[in-house]
Amino acid sequence: MATGKKSKRERRIKVVVYIMILAMVLSSLTMGLSMFI
């Protein structure tokens, strides 16, 4: 993992991780809102 240039696969994996984190945050937010309502 000490390569100087970034590959497309690495960037795609990073994007997927960001999307997963966003989905988890959104789901937790909706769960909290549904519990409050």
Side-chain angles (χ1 to χ4, degrees), residues 7-18:
S7 61
K8 290 182 180 179
R9 191 171 61 193
E10 278 186 41
R11 194 180 299 133
R12 191 175 296 146
I13 288 170
K14 193 177 292 184
V15 169
V16 169
V17 169
Y18 279 134

Side-chain angles (χ1 to χ4, degrees), residues 4-35:
K5 59 184 178 179
K6 295 260 185 179
S7 61
K8 290 182 180 179
R9 191 171 61 193
E10 278 186 41
R11 194 180 299 133
R12 191 175 296 146
I13 288 170
K14 193 177 292 184
V15 169
V16 169
V17 169
Y18 279 134
I19 290 172
M20 282 175 62
I21 291 170
L22 268 173
M24 281 177 62
V25 170
L26 281 173
S27 63
S28 63
L29 275 173
T30 50
M31 288 269 293
L33 283 174
S34 64
M35 280 183 70

